[in-house]
Amino acid sequence: MKGYLSTDEREAIAKLKEYGLSEDEIRAYVDELMEAITSSDLPEAMKYVTVWGLRVLSTLRLCEFHRLLDPEIPRECDVCKYIYLKDELEELSEAASLLSTEMVTPLIPEVLSNLAYAKDNARGINDVAAFEGRITKVKGIPKPASLPSWGASTHLAKVLLKVRERDKSIRAVMNIKYCDAVEEAVKRLGLRFVKVGPQDRANDDMIAEEIYRFFSPGTDVVFHLGGVGLEPVTYVFGKSPLDVVRKVLDIAKVYAELKSGSPYKVASNTS
């Protein structure tokens, strides 16, 4: 990444974080922009910069910085939220792009992962978006097998819809592998969790019902202990796909540290 920035990486990231951006989205922005530029697709790169900027403005996270530049801006001003309105599929796709890092690879279970996002008023499976073919590994890096679409994951849709009967604020879920190290990572992060199962040869409805029985508002993670014919799995819940992905990235980082016995270091790009 240092090769892409004209100033020191840490200084640049720190400044952007002061403006209200997260390090994950900053790095994802740089990586995706450079991918477009290095592929000689300059129109796509220009479009990406424009849309990304409008999207960030619409979240109102730059308001305080803007007021530092112009104190005359009224405190109640929220006009920028109307600049850009994204749909659920785009939001899901953008969140999933942050998972394309080798740090997440060890968390992909044998049954593969998926990331699902429910409409605010979701009633059925077709109101829940996910990735057809799930999130697999391409050259060792997690990648969605397709673009997101509605009704693409019956399993996660049933789990999510059932959980929402307990907590309507939960709109997204991702499944990752379960093991002692994952459980320890969740504990160290202070995430709220419950354990369910084991269940032998359970179908989607049985799993969703079991999770529902133990789920309560504020739960971040559910460990399903599997059973005969059923791989143990960790379900990570959140209010949005980005909320879920950030938790998964946190889990992945602590998991890597537990496995290596030292702080995880992200490899820097040089060019």
Side-chain angles (χ1 to χ4, degrees):
M1 186 171 176
K2 288 182 179 178
Y4 306 149
L5 299 174
S6 59
T7 58
D8 180 78
E9 176 186 345
R10 292 184 180 180
E11 180 182 343
I13 291 177
K15 197 68 175 177
L16 290 170
K17 288 171 73 174
E18 288 179 11
Y19 298 159
L21 304 179
S22 72
E23 185 167 342
D24 288 338
E25 62 188 328
I26 294 167
R27 291 184 180 278
Y29 168 73
V30 172
D31 290 343
E32 291 180 26
L33 176 59
M34 290 311 303
E35 184 177 339
I37 292 175
T38 55
S39 66
S40 300
D41 193 347
L42 294 183
E44 181 61 27
M46 293 171 66
K47 175 184 175 183
Y48 181 74
V49 170
T50 301
V51 172
W52 190 86
L54 293 175
R55 185 170 65 245
V56 171
L57 281 173
S58 71
T59 65
L60 305 182
R61 286 179 290 165
L62 300 182
C63 291
E64 290 306 314
F65 173 67
H66 195 184
R67 290 190 180 96
L68 289 176
L69 300 177
D70 185 358
E72 298 299 319
I73 298 175
R75 297 296 304 179
E76 65 273 14
C77 175
D78 63 357
V79 66
C80 288
K81 72 180 182 181
Y82 302 107
I83 289 177
Y84 180 84
L85 299 175
K86 60 183 174 182
D87 62 26
E88 285 96 340
L89 294 182
E90 183 179 3
E91 192 174 351
L92 185 57
S93 185
E94 289 173 356
S97 70
L98 298 177
L99 297 168
S100 294
T101 167
E102 62 181 10
M103 184 174 69
V104 176
T105 302
L107 299 188
I108 304 299
E110 292 296 321
V111 294
L112 303 182
S113 292
N114 213 329
L115 177 63
Y117 191 22
K119 293 180 179 179
D120 193 36
N121 60 346
R123 294 178 179 274
I125 292 172
N126 289 330
D127 293 323
V128 180
F131 296 92
E132 189 77 40
R134 309 175 193 175
I135 296 173
T136 184
K137 302 173 189 175
V138 178
K139 295 182 179 180
I141 302 296
K143 295 279 186 181
S146 65
L147 293 174
S149 59
W150 299 106
S153 175
T154 299
H155 174 62
L156 287 188
K158 288 185 175 182
V159 169
L160 195 52
L161 290 168
K162 199 65 183 175
V163 160
R164 282 173 53 79
E165 293 181 20
R166 294 271 195 218
D167 186 352
K168 288 293 185 183
S169 72
I170 297 298
R171 293 185 59 191
V173 62
M174 180 175 175
N175 65 307
I176 60 176
K177 82 171 185 181
Y178 171 76
C179 66
D180 291 342
V182 169
E183 181 176 336
E184 180 61 25
V186 168
K187 289 178 179 177
R188 292 194 182 193
L189 289 166
L191 297 174
R192 289 186 57 184
F193 69 90
V194 295
K195 287 185 179 182
V196 303
Q199 291 177 285
D200 293 339
R201 297 185 176 85
N203 59 30
D204 291 339
D205 291 310
M206 294 165 64
I207 293 170
E209 187 64 38
E210 183 74 356
I211 291 173
Y212 168 80
R213 287 179 55 216
F214 292 91
F215 194 93
S216 62
T219 299
D220 298 296
V221 173
V222 174
F223 298 123
H224 193 293
L225 302 182
V228 176
L230 192 64
E231 181 184 5
V233 167
T234 301
Y235 296 91
V236 183
F237 295 90
K239 296 181 180 180
S240 69
L242 185 57
D243 183 26
V244 168
V245 167
R246 283 174 175 162
K247 292 174 185 177
V248 170
L249 291 173
D250 286 342
I251 293 169
K253 182 179 180 181
V254 177
Y255 176 90
E257 292 173 351
L258 289 168
K259 287 295 187 178
S260 68
S262 60
Y264 183 85
K265 293 182 179 180
V266 177
S268 60
N269 296 319
T270 57
S271 62

